[in-house]
Amino acid sequence: MYTLYATWIREGKLKPDPSWNDELGIKFTLQDPCQIVRKSFGDPAADDMRLVVKACVGEKNFIDMTPNKSNNFCCGGGGGFLQSGYKEQRLLYGQIKDSQIKKTGATYCVTGCHNCHAQIHELGDHFGGGYHAVHAWTILALALGVLGRSERIHLGEELQEVNLPDSSR
Amino acid sequence: MSDTRIKLKGKSPFKEMVMKLLPDGGNLNDCLTCGLCASGCPATGMDDMDPRKFLRMAALGMDEEIRKSRWPWFCTMCTRCVHACPMKINIPQLVFNARRLRPRDEMPKGILGSCDMALSKETNSAMGCTKEDFSFVVEDLLEEIKEEYPIWEERNLQAPIDKEGAEFFINQNSREPMIEPEEMGPLWKILNLVGVDWTYGSAGWAAENYCMFMADDNGWKTLTERSAQKCDELGCTTFLNTE
């Protein structure tokens, strides 16, 4: 899906506008999903994801984790860990990811996978980082000016009113 | 260090079985014991285990200890160890196959329950979302979006189910229709703006597959086939994962 988003942006079929974040300067980082990057499509898919995120939030507002792409750490949400009943171990596993995200200083972590989304959301709460986990479609719709009021459940207070579409039409 | 003496049993039927399944035997006999795998693994240290130890246990024929270990459920099979390994040893596949060493009723309850639930619904939903539930949620949300933002009526926003001949067959994690339906709208809008011809399937739309995590090959295959068959039946040319 991310490769398609990137293709559509390159072809001009999607025209996200990152200027909503020029003055706000809200920082975003990105979790490379193991399944999509390391295990399936490699670094080209990771580069496509970065193209999409930067096109939506602005180049200067994207901060990468280290290490990243094919060398990224798993967040701990994969392999069925979320449903295995071993919550204590799952959170312990996620400590590396939590500290990686905290080091970027980003308020938002774009998660390209449902398991990552659930796990990173929980890590932010559990370890007190306070960062949010958001799906890529959320920031893409935000930068396209089509993200409705009710579609902002994973966004913080500061983004509830930003780039809202006109509801009168 | 443990002071318990390990009695070696020689060959490991478990390792032999896994090697037969994998191309080049997963290189399982090629370990240099360098420890790169363990040093970069987030599950290292849990239950006093790590990827290198796990492979050594298989090499030493400690099949019973492997069968009893909880560690295969702490490893997410992320393959970072293979990425780092100079010999490209497939430790995650050793872990995956270790998961199947226990009887079905001793699998972690959450994973077993999700697998069984998905098998019992033609939607494949691990959360038990039925065909009827799904189409109700999708239609309801579509209406709500058009009410709140009439522009989407003009732009002819759609969320088709079982549209024959659509290019993309798109799946969806059950969490959206069941817990956060609002999260489906942004994707529909993006697809509308691009002008993509897409559809959900009334059967096999759910993206999750917990049978796979349990190494239940038959269950995994059943779920995957349901989705693929629905995609074929509708004549869609591309199966597209929302992730």
Side-chain angles (χ1 to χ4, degrees):
Chain A
M1 194 81 217
Y2 304 104
T3 298
L4 278 176
Y5 288 155
T7 305
W8 293 332
I9 291 172
R10 284 194 194 98
E11 291 175 350
K13 289 178 182 168
L14 282 178
K15 297 187 175 83
D17 178 1
S19 64
W20 63 269
N21 201 20
D22 283 353
E23 276 175 37
L24 285 172
I26 295 169
K27 305 300 180 203
F28 288 75
T29 189
L30 168 68
Q31 165 67 356
D32 290 292
C34 307
Q35 183 61 36
I36 294 165
V37 177
R38 185 166 47 243
K39 296 175 78 170
S40 305
F41 305 108
D43 284 353
D47 290 334
D48 274 351
M49 293 179 78
R50 280 159 182 75
L51 181 144
V52 175
V53 176
K54 286 176 186 172
C56 294
V57 307
E59 181 116 25
K60 72 178 169 73
N61 294 313
F62 172 71
I63 303 166
D64 230 329
M65 295 180 209
T66 310
N68 53 47
K69 299 185 186 174
S70 292
N71 201 26
N72 189 32
F73 284 109
C74 168
C75 64
F81 219 163
L82 285 164
Q83 295 282 1
S84 68
Y86 297 116
K87 184 179 170 182
E88 184 194 329
Q89 287 84 357
R90 175 166 57 78
L91 291 169
L92 186 66
Y93 187 114
Q95 261 182 331
I96 293 179
K97 183 54 56 188
D98 175 67
S99 65
Q100 264 190 303
I101 298 173
K102 281 178 182 158
K103 271 183 199 156
T104 66
T107 317
Y108 290 89
C109 179
V110 180
T111 49
C113 145
H114 269 78
N115 292 330
C116 304
H117 186 279
Q119 169 78 348
I120 290 175
H121 177 82
E122 193 174 340
L123 292 177
D125 281 348
H126 182 79
F127 293 112
Y131 46 80
H132 306 273
V134 284
H135 292 291
W137 58 55
T138 305
I139 58 158
L140 189 47
L142 176 66
L144 290 165
V146 297
L147 190 68
R149 199 173 279 283
S150 57
E151 293 163 347
R152 301 180 179 228
I153 42 179
H154 292 294
L155 297 181
E157 289 279 313
E158 80 286 10
L159 286 181
Q160 292 302 322
E161 303 291 329
V162 174
N163 229 15
L164 266 179
D166 182 0
S167 61
S168 62
R169 56 183 299 268
Chain B
M1 293 290 279
S2 166
D3 50 11
T4 324
R5 185 173 296 178
I6 297 167
K7 276 196 183 155
L8 299 182
K9 295 141 195 129
K11 273 198 170 178
S12 157
F14 168 61
K15 183 166 71 68
E16 298 296 315
M17 181 270 285
V18 178
M19 289 187 77
K20 270 189 198 143
L21 292 173
L22 301 177
D24 298 325
N27 302 328
L28 296 185
N29 284 340
D30 298 352
C31 180
L32 308 171
T33 70
C34 70
L36 273 175
C37 53
S39 63
C41 169
T44 285
M46 292 183 187
D47 277 5
D48 201 24
M49 184 61 68
D50 65 53
R52 180 175 64 161
K53 268 192 189 173
F54 196 73
L55 177 64
R56 298 322 300 157
M57 282 168 67
L60 294 169
M62 298 168 68
D63 289 9
E64 188 51 24
E65 287 82 353
I66 287 178
R67 196 185 66 77
K68 282 187 196 152
S69 170
R70 302 188 299 177
W71 196 77
W73 304 94
F74 305 158
C75 162
T76 61
M77 301 174 286
C78 77
T79 73
R80 196 169 189 271
C81 55
V82 189
H83 190 69
C85 177
M87 305 309 287
K88 295 288 164 259
I89 299 175
N90 203 337
I91 299 173
Q93 274 297 326
L94 193 69
V95 168
F96 178 77
N97 282 284
R99 288 188 177 192
R100 69 169 111 241
L101 292 178
R102 52 171 92 182
R104 193 178 172 86
D105 61 355
E106 285 175 27
M107 295 283 176
K109 281 194 181 65
I111 296 179
L112 177 63
S114 296
C115 168
D116 283 344
M117 178 59 89
L119 288 172
S120 76
K121 305 275 180 237
E122 50 183 332
T123 57
N124 282 358
S125 170
M127 296 175 82
C129 186
T130 63
K131 271 180 168 180
E132 296 73 25
D133 295 340
F134 186 61
S135 69
F136 176 79
V137 171
V138 166
E139 282 161 28
D140 197 46
L141 179 67
L142 188 62
E143 230 167 85
E144 269 175 36
I145 292 173
K146 289 178 176 177
E147 260 168 44
E148 194 179 4
Y149 298 103
I151 184 103
W152 293 109
E153 185 71 59
E154 255 172 72
R155 287 178 180 162
N156 193 23
L157 183 71
Q158 292 185 3
I161 298 175
D162 287 348
K163 182 183 175 191
E164 286 188 24
E167 183 183 359
F168 293 101
F169 181 95
I170 297 188
N171 65 11
Q172 187 84 60
N173 190 291
S174 288
R175 211 148 53 108
E176 270 89 56
M178 295 297 272
I179 302 176
E180 300 175 335
E182 307 86 351
E183 285 289 313
M184 295 195 285
L187 180 61
W188 301 349
K189 293 174 181 177
I190 292 164
L191 296 170
N192 173 282
L193 292 176
V194 181
V196 170
D197 186 16
W198 68 281
T199 188
Y200 288 127
S202 58
W205 55 262
E208 64 276 7
N209 191 330
Y210 278 91
C211 299
M212 176 183 71
F213 296 139
M214 227 165 67
D216 170 3
D217 292 347
N218 289 331
W220 176 7
K221 185 166 175 247
T222 300
L223 297 179
T224 307
E225 274 178 353
R226 270 187 207 155
S227 299
Q229 272 166 12
K230 193 69 198 174
C231 176
D232 280 347
E233 192 185 303
L234 294 172
C236 301
T237 46
T238 307
F239 188 102
L240 182 59
N241 195 315
T242 42
E243 298 184 346

